Amino acid sequence: MTARVFTDGSRAIVRGALDAGCTFFAGYPITPASPILMMMMRELPARGGVAVQGEDEIASIGMCIGATMAGARAMTATSGPGISLYSENIGLAVMGEVPLVIVDVQRLGPATGGATTVGQGDVQFVRWGTGGGFPIIALAPSTVPECYSLTMRAFDLAERFRVPVFVVTDKELNLTLRSVDAAALEPQPVRARATRTGLEGPPYRYEPPGDVPPLGRFGDEVVRFTGSTHDEEALITKAPATVGALNRHLAAKIDDHRDEIELCTGDRQGGARTLVISYGITAGAVRDAVRDLRSDGIAVSSLVVHSLWPVPETAIAGALDGVERVVVPELNLGQYRREIERLAGGCEVVGVNRVDGELISPALVREAVA
Amino acid sequence: MTSTIVPLGTYRNETPYPFCPGCGHGTILDHLNGALVDLCLDPAQVVIVTDIGCAGLSDQYFATSAFHGLHGRSLTYATGIKLARPELHVIVVMGDGGTGIGGAHFLTAARRNIGLTLLVFNNFNFGMTGGQHSTTTPTGSVTSTTPGGNPERPLDICATAAVNGAAYVYRGTSFDDDLSVRIAEAIVTPGFAVLDIWELCTAYFVPSNKFGKRSLEATQRDMGLATGVIERRSVADYAAAVREGAASVGSGELEQQVEPMFAPGVDRPVRIVVAGSAGGKVQSAVRLAGEAAIACGLHATQRNDYPVTVKTGHSVAELIIGPDPIDYTGIDRPDALVILSTDGLRKAAAYLPRMDPADRVFLAPQVPAVATAATVEVIDPATLGLRVARTDLALTLLVVALERLAAIPAAALEEAARAGPSHTVTNLNAIEQGRRLAGV
Ligand code: SF4
């Protein structure tokens, strides 16, 4: 028997950030993300980093972006109402190609909604949460150990593509204590920042479109940064050829490298005609239900999506093979079901949905499958 | 680092300014250039952070590092840069509009005394977007959004910065001969330095208000505003203070490893709900039980529920223990329900009709009788002449419940209490009371 810790998603995310080499954190108090802020305020400085409580959410993510351009590896954490305030700066991080990890601990919405109740209502919001339109990376842990590993992975992908990366969790995953085998917190490789030496040419590069140049650091050399449409020297331009190349580059960074990002866990049962696709906290109830259904002799397959965005289309297409019915349980009114429906071909797609602050139980999943 | 720099004749690049004829922006930027030349700074160590509008274009005409972000947020980016690398010289160029949309950031920068230099290019209106009024538009002035005259009172940038602690505060105009000296002073001042520089927007504010060079000083006089260097304070720089303050706080323990050392008491999941009142240490009691379960080689989950106002109303904790990992942490029907107070009863009442005779309900004596098919037991410490403090009741009754269910031995709870970071004596006492009430 192994040693275990009694821990939760908040702690696992903090540990993941620290182990990934996070050096800067800024956040604003909001339930249910505040424990991350409080732990980072204590733990990060003890490791030589800087943690600060911003005057609001806008300042918090703004400070993270500034600090990153001065060489920091930054994370911020909030909940849906805070993501609303992050919106403009998410766009800035995309446009300026700033690596950054944004944790969204979802609560029941809209507006102040239910501060201490669970929800998964931000799934499409994180995808489309800023003006202009662009691809985004969003990872969704479904267990406490995944909160740890996917936070580390988020830091890695942020560096790889010079983009903001979301870690999308919820109140339940972050605040419910669970026993976890100490050995289950598996560190992920996190690449070091590719920092400019000054010999690489301009700070931005649009050709080939998916290419990601190293990041300059204020203080080491003269570095230019802008959130306006810009040429490769970061000078503002409206020249259509340049602006088009810039925007296609921002999309291609992610679209051309989906195989490096997409992530899910399949649990296929031969002969199963029903597939359950889930993510986040809801995947726990699905694992429980699948076990019971199978022990009752009912064949069922399961796919847990870990990269909400980009949608793991290849894996979903593979999992749909031979399936007649797809069940998508989620704590919203079918936000991710839309993505499944567009991929499902002739399959029937049914949702199991709750927006009352209660969890979807294994019994509800079993009913929908059987 | 600056000592090795070869003096530069200019920090400007070759690009000409794009501003309208007579606009004050170019003049102020020339003074900024003069200040940088005087200070002989490494251009890579100077970051010009620009806000939005015509003044927001400014960074493009300098050979220094530059950050051009979103409207009103320039102080936030600058703060992040300065916190990450306190040795950099970070200069923020903002229009008067930025003091409105970024008002909270402006106040906070002053209160924090973060080591930034803020140049407000104050021409009383939004130039780039068509001459709309701003936070600094004088009362009565005509702009494209105040055609009948501005009814609002203008923001006193300098008084606001000074009263909130800024280290250096200056008000002048773009026509001041000594402006580059003032900017240089501001750059080397530790803490937050603000220069409110009044100037002309020749495209909008000047023609709409028959405004000119002399009007700048006349308006300052008419409004009774101080000019020149208004405030100089010796302060600790925030970036340094943050690092020093944090160094005195040690790292805590994120989580504590629990080694299995007791025999598992259950071979299937057992679900227990403890429902009491805020301040009754419900959650810490259940947490001890969770750690005790882990010490028995079991898995455990704990889900807490409480109102947003933490110190009032109910406090409910749901505990699941079992031999296998627990994928679903919700409890639809508990095996045992411990009710400590009427607050707890209100919240736990929904479970009662779902329970059957094999399930157990444990009530504190002050809880009214409940209607349920479950087996109900009132645990009254007074029967043994015991007096259990309100804050110990959760742990005491939980010990009784766990003993009755033969789920977790009291010895495992004692071990968890001893391993815990605090309240060891109190917790051991509460467990001992539970042992006596359970007769073990
Ligand atoms: S619009 Fe006004 S502020 Fe802008 S460049 Fe012209 S004069 Fe200057």
Side-chain angles (χ1 to χ4, degrees):
Chain A
M1 283 198 290
T2 57
R4 291 183 181 135
V5 289
F6 203 30
T7 189
D8 58 25
S10 306
R11 289 174 174 84
I13 287 167
V14 168
R15 185 167 289 293
L18 296 172
D19 288 355
C22 176
T23 60
F24 191 93
F25 181 92
Y28 184 81
I30 184 169
T31 305
S34 298
I36 298 175
L37 165 65
M38 292 184 283
M39 280 187 269
M40 289 303 268
M41 292 298 292
R42 192 184 64 201
E43 299 302 321
L44 199 49
R47 289 161 175 81
V50 174
V52 56
Q53 179 177 323
E55 57 268 32
D56 53 30
E57 280 92 347
I58 295 170
S60 299
I61 184 170
M63 286 190 265
C64 286
I65 292 172
T68 302
M69 292 308 296
R73 300 185 78 158
M75 180 171 92
T76 183
T78 188
S79 188
I83 300 290
S84 299
L85 291 171
Y86 283 7
S87 172
E88 58 173 6
N89 271 318
I90 293 166
L92 182 70
V94 168
M95 184 58 123
E97 303 193 49
V98 181
L100 177 65
V101 175
I102 303 169
V103 182
D104 177 10
V105 189
Q106 296 171 101
R107 61 193 226 182
L108 192 68
T112 43
T116 58
T117 38
V118 68
Q120 292 181 311
D122 298 349
V123 168
Q124 290 286 349
F125 183 38
V126 298
R127 171 64 188 87
W128 301 105
T130 192
F134 57 90
I136 197 99
I137 299 175
L139 306 179
S142 72
T143 64
V144 169
E146 286 169 13
C147 285
Y148 174 76
S149 60
L150 291 184
T151 299
M152 293 193 75
R153 187 175 166 85
F155 273 91
D156 182 63
L157 292 172
E159 293 300 330
R160 168 69 183 89
F161 298 108
R162 282 182 61 179
V163 288
V165 176
F166 281 98
V167 176
V168 182
T169 65
D170 60 79
K171 175 260 171 185
E172 199 63 34
L173 205 45
N174 272 53
L175 300 188
T176 297
L177 287 161
R178 295 156 185 264
S179 53
V180 171
D181 289 358
L185 298 177
E186 263 181 78
Q188 302 290 302
V190 179
R191 74 198 73 205
R193 167 148 317 153
T195 302
R196 275 167 61 82
T197 60
L199 304 173
E200 292 87 351
Y204 293 104
R205 195 155 70 220
Y206 307 152
E207 290 297 335
D211 202 23
V212 184
L215 189 64
R217 182 164 74 151
F218 289 138
D220 292 358
E221 57 166 336
V222 170
V223 174
R224 296 194 48 77
F225 172 97
T226 181
S228 298
T229 52
H230 50 273
D231 63 18
E232 295 186 340
E233 298 288 354
L235 293 169
I236 296 175
T237 182
K238 289 204 282 185
T242 310
V243 172
L246 158 64
N247 281 324
R248 287 183 191 283
H249 157 72
L250 295 178
K253 282 200 296 184
I254 292 172
D255 288 343
D256 291 0
H257 301 99
R258 300 177 67 112
D259 55 328
E260 288 181 59
I261 308 167
E262 292 179 4
L263 194 66
C264 40
T265 306
D267 177 7
R268 193 179 178 85
Q269 186 175 23
R273 293 275 173 264
T274 303
L275 167 69
V276 186
I277 298 182
S278 63
Y279 58 88
I281 187 66
T282 310
V286 172
R287 279 188 278 267
D288 189 301
V290 164
R291 207 165 35 236
D292 282 359
L293 285 163
R294 287 177 183 169
S295 71
D296 289 350
I298 298 167
V300 59
S301 293
S302 164
L303 185 79
V304 178
V305 174
H306 302 302
S307 66
L308 289 175
W309 310 106
V311 177
E313 296 184 0
T314 311
I316 290 172
L320 284 167
D321 187 38
V323 164
E324 288 162 4
R325 201 156 163 275
V326 186
V327 175
V328 187
E330 37 185 351
L331 296 172
N332 56 51
L333 294 177
Q335 293 189 18
Y336 211 65
R337 191 169 78 227
R338 298 166 63 93
E339 305 302 320
I340 307 305
E341 279 165 351
R342 73 181 167 80
L343 300 169
C347 278
E348 182 195 4
V349 182
V350 294
V352 177
N353 306 92
R354 282 193 94 147
V355 287
D356 58 357
E358 298 290 327
L359 291 168
I360 290 171
S361 66
L364 280 178
V365 178
R366 287 198 303 270
E367 272 168 37
V369 170
Chain B
M1 229 183 252
T2 51
S3 59
T4 57
I5 298 307
V6 181
L8 293 175
T10 183
Y11 287 72
R12 288 264 290 113
N13 57 26
E14 263 135 48
T15 320
Y17 297 136
F19 308 119
C20 304
C23 173
H25 290 2
T27 315
I28 303 173
L29 292 176
D30 284 344
H31 283 294
L32 170 59
N33 182 42
L36 295 172
V37 169
D38 287 348
L39 292 172
C40 193
L41 301 174
D42 175 354
Q45 301 266 309
V46 175
V47 188
I48 297 179
V49 180
T50 52
D51 212 82
I52 287 291
C54 303
L57 301 170
S58 302
D59 62 279
Q60 301 202 97
Y61 310 99
F62 283 80
T64 64
S65 286
F67 188 112
H68 176 59
L70 298 171
H71 186 26
R73 315 304 171 206
S74 44
L75 284 167
T76 72
Y77 313 126
T79 300
I81 294 166
K82 187 72 179 175
L83 283 171
R85 290 197 84 168
E87 74 276 20
L88 299 181
H89 300 283
V90 185
I91 298 157
V92 180
V93 173
M94 185 193 269
D96 37 291
T99 64
I101 187 172
H105 314 311
F106 173 59
L107 290 177
T108 309
R111 288 193 306 103
R112 281 188 184 131
N113 254 317
I114 178 87
L116 310 173
T117 303
L118 170 64
L119 307 178
V120 183
F121 287 33
N122 185 356
N123 59 17
F124 327 110
N125 73 167
F126 291 81
M128 187 180 268
T129 49
Q132 298 88 352
H133 78 285
S134 79
T135 40
T136 66
T137 308
T139 309
S141 298
V142 174
T143 69
S144 62
T145 46
T146 54
N150 180 29
E152 296 176 8
R153 180 189 169 94
L155 174 71
D156 184 337
I157 292 172
C158 293
T160 305
V163 79
N164 283 292
Y168 182 98
V169 179
Y170 172 84
R171 179 181 284 118
T173 77
S174 60
F175 298 98
D176 293 352
D177 295 333
D178 60 350
L179 193 52
S180 60
V181 178
R182 300 298 151 232
I183 295 173
E185 270 177 6
I187 291 172
V188 297
T189 297
F192 188 52
V194 184
L195 294 93
D196 175 18
I197 305 163
W198 292 31
E199 45 138 12
L200 300 178
C201 172
T202 49
Y204 297 105
F205 198 81
V206 164
S208 306
N209 294 280
K210 299 196 179 61
F211 205 78
K213 178 180 172 182
R214 272 199 294 278
S215 324
L216 291 171
E217 277 154 25
T219 307
Q220 288 176 344
R221 233 186 356 261
D222 293 350
M223 288 170 63
L225 295 174
T227 56
V229 179
I230 296 169
E231 186 66 68
R232 257 187 231 268
R233 285 190 183 99
S234 170
V235 299
D237 177 62
Y238 176 74
V242 161
R243 282 164 198 268
E244 278 159 27
S248 64
V249 181
S251 163
E253 215 174 0
L254 282 178
E255 63 274 301
Q256 194 178 316
Q257 278 200 20
V258 182
E259 304 284 342
M261 56 182 86
F262 298 92
V266 298
D267 56 5
R268 61 176 184 90
V270 174
R271 300 174 176 85
I272 301 167
V273 175
V274 182
S277 297
K281 289 176 69 182
V282 171
Q283 289 160 26
S284 54
V286 170
R287 187 176 173 134
L288 272 188
E291 283 162 355
I294 298 172
C296 296
L298 297 170
H299 278 278
T301 68
Q302 177 182 352
R303 187 168 178 243
N304 299 326
D305 180 56
Y306 45 87
V308 280
T309 49
V310 178
K311 289 286 181 202
T312 176
H314 71 274
S315 175
V316 174
E318 303 177 350
L319 175 72
I320 307 178
I321 60 173
D324 302 313
I326 298 148
D327 283 315
Y328 176 64
T329 55
I331 296 181
D332 298 323
R333 185 190 127 195
D335 297 283
L337 176 54
V338 180
I339 306 177
L340 302 164
S341 67
T342 43
D343 286 328
L345 175 59
R346 259 195 301 278
K347 203 64 192 172
Y351 292 115
L352 292 166
R354 295 182 214 147
M355 299 175 77
D356 71 19
D359 303 325
R360 312 283 299 259
V361 176
F362 301 92
L363 299 180
Q366 60 270 36
V367 178
V370 296
T372 176
T375 308
V376 180
E377 184 182 350
V378 177
I379 312 288
D380 187 356
T383 56
L384 293 184
L386 299 177
R387 289 192 49 183
V388 178
R390 193 181 86 88
T391 47
D392 290 345
L393 198 60
L395 185 50
T396 297
L397 262 63
L398 185 54
V399 168
V400 178
L402 291 168
E403 283 291 344
R404 293 276 195 271
L405 297 168
I408 303 171
L413 280 139
E414 285 164 355
E415 183 56 35
R418 276 190 287 269
S422 58
H423 306 298
T424 304
V425 173
T426 324
N427 286 338
L428 286 173
N429 181 50
I431 295 166
E432 175 57 27
Q433 311 253 43
R435 267 181 183 272
R436 292 174 63 184
L437 286 165
V440 293

